[in-house]
């Protein structure tokens, strides 16, 4: 009996271990095919094989692409980006993009379609420009192949770079690890104008592969002066608009203050001892006392005297009570307050 229980327990442990292993979602391979044109435009196809278990990958994957770049002068500039196609398992896949801080996020899949468990191959093709670093003695392609924002491990990352005709690389370099790391767990091989890069260990979540290709000066066409000016305006458009709006708002409020906001010139101040026209005695009492005084009897007495002076009522029996008798005198419209 004990042997039977031990065998059942061992089988259960094996099933649990197999389920845990099966539940791991990873990117089993990540390959980037990069074609560099002499104009500096990059055409990139990223082929990503993902193991889907319906845990975090349910409807598809997303890829974060940065839209800023540090050029050869150390300036942060904005790059061009155009998504061309997205496929899954060789067929066109619905996609959408949204802006994120410093970049764009590409989503694959549909909200009402869940992926079947197993391996799925995603391919993202896009074009991007302004990614070349121009130095005094050479040109350089410095490219983050995978990015470092993936929440999944990458079993193997690789890249193939095709240079423009007649261009040969002067030097190759690789970097692996988290953002800013300089580990070199990858290798680089050159075959004519074709360059191959491949990692030599698994990349953990948050780690990536970056490559650097040094080329002779003039390998890539530098931007013209007009293009440089256009890029400068585009890079600085947001702060320029903010400054312009601040100036416009400042001028508007300065003009309004100059027109109606300044205090009038000081003159002779003459106190007035009589009430303004059109104000009844009861209202004068209210204003003078900042409210009703004597529970309102003072205002009532003032109103009664006002009506009596105007000939609208007669006050009777003032010793023991206050009796108001109407004189039936008609007034035109609303009876004006008398003084």
């Amino acid at each position: 009996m004990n042997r039977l229980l031990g065998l059942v327990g061992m089988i259960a442990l094996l099933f649990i271990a197999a389920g845990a292993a099966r539940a791991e979602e990873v990117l089993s391979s990540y390959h980037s095919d990069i074609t560099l044109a002499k104009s500096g435009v990059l055409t990139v196809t990223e082929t990503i094989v993902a193991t889907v278990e319906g845990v975090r990958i349910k409807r598809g994957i997303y890829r974060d692409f940065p839209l800023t770049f540090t050029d050869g002068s150390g300036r942060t500039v904005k790059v061009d980006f155009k998504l061309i196609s997205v496929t899954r398992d060789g067929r066109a896949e619905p996609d959408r993009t949204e802006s994120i801080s410093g970049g764009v996020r590409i989503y694959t899949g549909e909200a009402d379609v869940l992926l079947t468990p197993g391996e799925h191959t995603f391919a993202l093709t896009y074009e991007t420009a302004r990614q070349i670093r121009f130095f005094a003695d050479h040109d350089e392609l410095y490219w983050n192949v995978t990015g470092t924002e993936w929440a999944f491990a990458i079993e193997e990352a690789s890249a193939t770079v095709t240079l423009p005709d007649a261009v040969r690389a002067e030097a190759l370099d690789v970097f692996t690890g988290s953002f800013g790391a300089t580990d070199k767990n990858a290798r680089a091989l050159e075959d004519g104008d074709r360059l191959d890069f491949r990692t030599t260990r698994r990349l953990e979540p948050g780690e990536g592969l970056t490559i650097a290709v040094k080329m002779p000066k003039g390998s890539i066409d530098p931007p013209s002066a007009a293009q440089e000016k256009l890029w400068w305006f585009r890079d600085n458009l947001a702060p320029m608009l903010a400054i312009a709006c601040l100036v416009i708002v400042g001028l508007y409020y300065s003009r309004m203050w100059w027109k109606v906001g300044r205090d009038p010139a000081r003159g002779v101040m003459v106190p007035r001892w009589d009430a303004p026209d059109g104000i009844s005695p009861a209202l004068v009492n209210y204003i003078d006392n900042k409210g009703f005084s004597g529970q309102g009897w003072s205002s009532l007495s003032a109103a009664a005297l006002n009506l009596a002076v105007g000939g609208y009522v007669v006050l009777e029996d003032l010793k023991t009570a206050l009796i108001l008798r109407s004189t039936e005198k008609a007034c035109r419209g609303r009876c004006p307050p008398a003084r």
Side-chain angles (χ1 to χ4, degrees):
M1 184 68 178
N2 292 334
R3 289 183 178 179
L4 179 60
L5 291 176
L7 180 60
V8 171
M10 185 177 296
I11 293 174
L13 288 175
L14 289 175
F15 272 107
I16 292 173
R22 185 173 61 252
E24 182 183 15
E25 292 181 321
V26 298
L27 306 183
S28 54
S29 71
Y30 195 121
H31 180 73
S32 186
D33 193 348
I34 306 164
T35 300
L36 173 59
K38 197 172 189 310
S39 63
V41 175
L42 292 172
T43 303
V44 182
T45 297
E46 296 180 353
T47 304
I48 305 167
V49 180
T51 300
V52 177
E53 293 294 340
V55 182
R56 285 182 293 182
I57 305 177
K58 297 180 179 181
R59 297 168 179 81
I61 61 174
Y62 66 83
R63 166 76 157 105
D64 291 345
F65 188 88
L67 295 181
T68 59
F69 178 74
T70 303
D71 66 8
S73 302
R75 299 174 303 173
T76 299
V77 300
K78 296 180 180 180
V79 302
D80 296 328
F81 178 83
K82 178 184 178 182
L83 182 63
I84 298 176
S85 67
V86 175
T87 65
R88 175 172 62 86
D89 300 327
R91 295 182 295 274
E93 181 78 345
D95 64 86
R96 64 182 177 88
T97 61
E98 71 176 28
S99 297
I100 59 174
S101 178
V104 62
R105 176 169 291 177
I106 306 168
Y107 287 93
T108 70
E110 297 179 271
D112 56 349
V113 176
L114 296 176
L115 300 180
T116 58
E119 284 194 343
H120 292 272
T121 302
F122 300 86
L124 288 72
T125 301
Y126 55 86
E127 286 184 352
T128 181
R130 209 180 177 186
Q131 299 278 3
I132 303 300
R133 291 177 170 178
F134 297 97
F135 296 94
D137 59 347
H138 69 279
D139 301 337
E140 182 186 64
L141 169 64
Y142 188 87
W143 184 253
N144 191 328
V145 174
T146 60
T148 55
E149 304 300 325
W150 288 100
F152 311 100
I154 302 174
E155 297 288 356
E156 183 182 65
S158 59
T160 299
V161 179
T162 302
L163 299 178
D165 293 339
V167 174
R168 295 293 181 267
E170 292 184 340
L172 305 177
D173 207 348
V174 292
F175 306 97
T176 57
S178 58
F179 180 79
T182 57
D183 300 341
K184 296 184 180 295
N185 298 299
R187 57 182 174 81
L189 299 175
E190 182 176 2
D191 182 15
D193 62 353
R194 182 185 175 91
L195 311 174
D196 292 312
F197 303 84
R198 191 173 301 273
T199 55
T200 56
R201 72 161 177 86
R202 164 178 163 140
L203 299 176
E204 298 301 328
E207 294 185 331
L209 168 65
T210 299
I211 63 174
V213 180
K214 180 181 179 181
M215 298 169 286
K217 186 65 179 175
S219 298
I220 306 300
D221 296 333
S224 64
Q227 184 66 59
E228 287 279 9
K229 290 180 180 179
L230 180 61
W231 283 344
W232 186 89
F233 278 108
R234 188 183 67 176
D235 294 343
N236 296 279
L237 181 59
M240 289 171 63
L241 287 177
I243 294 173
C245 291
L246 182 61
V247 170
I248 292 172
V249 170
L251 291 175
Y252 172 78
Y253 281 106
S254 296
R255 181 177 180 275
M256 291 297 103
W257 175 84
W258 185 264
K259 185 177 180 180
V260 298
R262 294 182 300 161
D263 292 337
R266 292 182 179 274
V268 179
M269 299 186 66
V270 178
R272 296 183 58 182
W273 304 106
D274 54 337
D277 294 336
I279 299 220
S280 68
L283 182 55
V284 170
N285 179 269
Y286 181 87
I287 295 172
D288 182 54
N289 292 282
K290 301 180 177 61
F292 288 115
S293 62
Q295 298 182 343
W297 289 109
S298 298
S299 295
L300 178 61
S301 300
L305 290 173
N306 183 45
L307 292 173
V309 170
Y312 298 104
V313 298
V314 175
L315 303 180
E316 297 179 349
D317 193 13
L318 297 179
K319 293 183 179 180
T320 60
L322 178 61
I323 299 175
L324 282 73
R325 181 173 57 81
S326 174
T327 62
E328 304 297 334
K329 179 182 178 180
C331 58
R332 297 177 181 177
R334 182 180 176 183
C335 291
R339 311 183 78 180

